[in-house]
Amino acid sequence: MKMNLTEVEIRILGCLVEKELTTPENYPLSLNSLTTACNQKSNRAPLVDFVEADVVRALDRLGSRGLARHTAVCGRVPKYRHSLDDSLHLTPPALAVLAELMLRGPQTAGELCNRAERMTPLADIASVEEILGALMEFGPPLVTRLPRQPGHKEQRYAQLFAGEPVLPDDAPAPLPEPARQRVMAKNERLDRVDEEVSALRAEIAAMRCTIEELRELFK
């Protein structure tokens, strides 16, 4: 299957999986219901404000990739469903974990265990870690483990439908050793002294010029 899906496409897939598992009686979804699900304020990060035209275009792209399709029952309004179960053959727990990563971004195994539980029963964190391991070994991988964040014990996982995640370069730099801090402080003091000496030299040079000018006037 093709990767590098857009933000809209990933949100749509996540919503379709979520609604299939949580409210099967209302699944598949109409265009209006799907747009509302994408813009939902709960269980979403980041929050978005898609319009129906955004969703239609994304559904067309997903359809061309075999990841979603529309269906009409007895000639009524068209409704939409995902095709991940057909193309990936994943179990409901695996789909639930994947949907949570699509809907809320990178999360720890513990967070996924608590949040995906609303879609389908999950035994414990160990079972979620087993699911994540299988998704990471999928061909191609559907999930990756992110580097541990400074100050955090647990690692987070991210879905790969958008390609490799771009990590923000906002991790705080480690504090230098005490000896280096002392050297840095000493260097800063020396730099300030050099600046003050340079300023005094400039003042002396200016005073000498003034004195020479006065001498010329009184000759």
Side-chain angles (χ1 to χ4, degrees), residues 209-219:
C209 289
T210 302
I211 291 171
E212 290 298 326
E213 291 173 358
L214 290 173
R215 283 178 178 173
E216 292 294 327
L217 288 176
F218 291 101
K219 279 185 179 179

Side-chain angles (χ1 to χ4, degrees), residues 75-187:
R76 291 181 294 177
V77 62
K79 294 190 176 183
Y80 300 88
R81 62 185 308 131
H82 70 84
S83 302
L84 291 177
D85 44 1
D86 298 334
S87 55
L88 301 180
H89 307 291
L90 297 176
T91 63
L95 283 172
V97 168
L98 206 52
E100 279 298 334
L101 292 174
M102 290 177 171
L103 295 174
R104 299 206 216 197
Q107 299 166 69
T108 66
E111 290 171 331
L112 288 167
C113 184
N114 291 332
R115 293 167 176 172
E117 180 71 25
R118 66 193 175 87
M119 298 189 205
T120 190
L122 295 168
D124 49 28
I125 295 179
S127 66
V128 173
E129 291 175 338
E130 184 177 345
I131 291 170
L132 290 167
L135 293 174
M136 286 189 288
E137 294 175 1
F138 208 83
L142 303 177
V143 167
T144 186
R145 183 188 293 111
L146 300 178
R148 184 177 284 105
Q149 293 178 301
H152 291 74
K153 181 180 179 181
E154 297 182 49
Q155 288 181 273
R156 297 181 303 159
Y157 298 83
Q159 52 81 18
L160 291 174
F161 283 83
E164 287 291 335
V166 178
L167 300 177
D169 188 18
D170 57 359
L175 291 175
E177 305 91 337
R180 184 174 297 278
Q181 293 183 38
R182 291 193 293 270
V183 171
M184 292 168 62
K186 184 177 180 179
N187 289 340

